[in-house]
Amino acid sequence: MFFPLLCLFSLLPFGLCNDAKNKGVINTNTGTLQERMEQLLELSSRRPIIRFNNKLFKDLVRGSPRNYSVIIMFTALSSHRGCVVCRQASDEYSLVANSYRYSQFYSNKMFFGLVDFDEGSDVFQSLGLNSAPAFLHFPAKGKPKKQDNMDIQRIGFSAEAIARWIMERTEINIRVFRPPNYTGTMALLTLFGLVGILVYLRRNNLEFLLNKNTWSILAMFFVLSMVSGQMWNHIRGPPFVHNSQSGGVAYIHGSSQGQFVLETYFVMGMYGMIVMGVILLCEAGEEKVDPGFRRIQAIAGLCLLAFFYSLLLSVFRSKAGGYPYSFLFK
């Protein structure tokens, strides 16, 4: 009769000791919804974009139950990775996250996160991601669908494009607030200042203002800039280039709905060479010039026109799927 009681009292100190030890250990298991929410709120209070490692991603993003959605950018920001596009995409993503943080629609129903390859390589592997940057939406219920993977090849990764994609997936409208950029204004003022100084220095001889060649070159440069898509770049803010899925660098956007900044320079150069070819053909018809030189102008103009028109047509054909026409290049 006394033996069970003796055993019970002999084990009691060990039980109290274990309880004391357990009280000194921080519980990192985010098993319940309340614990997940508390940890997410604590992390998001420090910065708008939560950095997830392998464990945090597994517990807070893929764990269940969950009544919140998470927008995550998968990237590789370390300098030794050499991902220039990742840095550009990260800046645009930060604009969206900060705009959401201070918007009227901010709530604990959606969080912004980031997974760097060096901190979450297992996450990349589990999701089958072999390129960066990438944007995924993890809904509150169920697994991500195809539409939850943002198609940056088609729509780019500007802050406005990311906000529209989030609106489609979560019905949360985020108005992007960009910090004021006075670069364009300063460039315009500098241009007007230089023109004013030039006019002042040449105030006794302003015949150059009546030179048709000067105005022709300025007008041609303006037209080529607009035709090549410089205004589209100013409005949409596309990336300079993009890392392709094969690991290389894509200079030409694969869709007719988007373009890269470097691509517009290529297009502008091709249009310029076509114009140069037409000018040479027109100059070859001048009778006052030596016939041999006229022949050279005609051949050079025809070659420039044929080559760069074919190249431009090939680029358009690669962007517009199903376009049937080509000239010298497929």
Side-chain angles (χ1 to χ4, degrees), residues 317 320-326 330:
R317 191 168 184 264
Y323 187 76
Y325 304 108
S326 62
K330 292 293 185 180

Side-chain angles (χ1 to χ4, degrees), residues 248-290:
V249 179
Y251 303 102
I252 306 296
H253 199 285
S255 170
S256 60
Q257 302 298 319
Q259 65 184 15
F260 302 133
V261 174
L262 188 59
E263 177 184 344
T264 61
Y265 296 150
F266 289 154
V267 173
M268 183 177 177
M270 288 186 286
Y271 275 125
M273 291 296 100
I274 292 173
V275 172
M276 183 63 68
V278 173
I279 292 175
L280 290 176
L281 288 175
C282 294
E283 292 293 328
E286 184 66 36
E287 297 181 355
K288 298 180 180 180
V289 185
D290 180 70

Side-chain angles (χ1 to χ4, degrees), residues 7-224:
C7 292
L8 178 61
F9 283 108
S10 63
L11 293 176
L12 184 59
F14 294 97
L16 295 175
C17 182
N18 289 334
D19 289 341
K21 290 181 179 180
N22 290 335
K23 290 180 181 179
V25 176
I26 298 175
N27 183 15
T28 58
N29 182 21
T30 54
T32 66
L33 175 60
Q34 183 179 359
E35 290 173 344
R36 290 192 183 91
M37 184 62 68
E38 290 177 354
Q39 188 168 1
L40 281 170
L41 291 175
E42 180 185 355
L43 293 172
S44 63
S45 65
R46 301 174 185 174
R47 57 178 65 92
I49 300 177
I50 304 172
R51 295 185 70 98
F52 290 102
N53 54 24
N54 293 322
K55 184 180 185 306
L56 284 178
F57 181 86
K58 180 180 179 181
D59 293 340
L60 302 179
V61 180
R62 302 306 293 267
S64 60
R66 192 173 66 245
N67 65 347
Y68 52 86
S69 60
V70 186
I71 307 294
I72 294 187
M73 174 185 175
F74 296 88
T75 184
L77 295 176
S78 299
S79 58
H80 68 275
R81 297 293 177 186
C83 183
V84 180
V85 182
C86 292
R87 177 60 59 185
Q88 298 173 352
S90 178
D91 293 339
E92 296 295 309
Y93 186 60
S94 297
L95 280 177
V96 181
N98 284 300
S99 300
Y100 173 67
R101 179 72 173 270
Y102 299 104
S103 71
Q104 59 179 341
F105 300 104
Y106 177 75
S107 67
N108 58 0
K109 297 299 181 182
M110 184 177 72
F111 297 93
F112 282 81
L114 182 144
V115 176
D116 193 281
F117 181 79
D118 293 323
E119 301 172 359
S121 57
D122 293 344
V123 179
F124 275 75
Q125 185 176 2
S126 64
L127 296 175
L129 296 175
N130 53 13
S131 64
F135 298 90
L136 270 72
H137 167 241
F138 293 87
K141 296 180 180 179
K143 297 181 179 180
K145 301 178 182 178
K146 182 179 180 180
Q147 295 80 2
D148 290 313
N149 189 346
M150 182 176 168
D151 188 1
I152 60 177
Q153 291 280 358
R154 182 175 61 87
I155 64 176
F157 52 70
S158 66
E160 290 76 13
I162 297 175
R164 285 194 298 269
W165 171 70
I166 293 176
M167 174 65 181
E168 294 174 359
R169 305 313 307 157
T170 65
E171 298 183 354
I172 297 177
N173 186 17
I174 302 176
R175 182 182 177 185
V176 178
F177 293 96
R178 290 185 177 273
N181 186 359
Y182 300 105
T183 305
T185 304
M186 294 301 297
L188 189 61
L189 292 176
T190 303
L191 177 61
F192 280 123
L194 293 175
V195 172
I197 293 174
L198 180 62
V199 171
Y200 177 77
L201 295 176
R202 298 288 300 272
R203 61 186 181 277
N204 297 325
N205 185 12
L206 299 178
E207 293 181 0
F208 71 96
L209 293 177
L210 303 178
N211 191 322
K212 64 178 182 179
N213 292 331
T214 302
W215 289 106
S216 298
I217 293 174
L218 292 176
M220 184 178 66
F221 180 78
F222 176 78
V223 171
L224 292 178

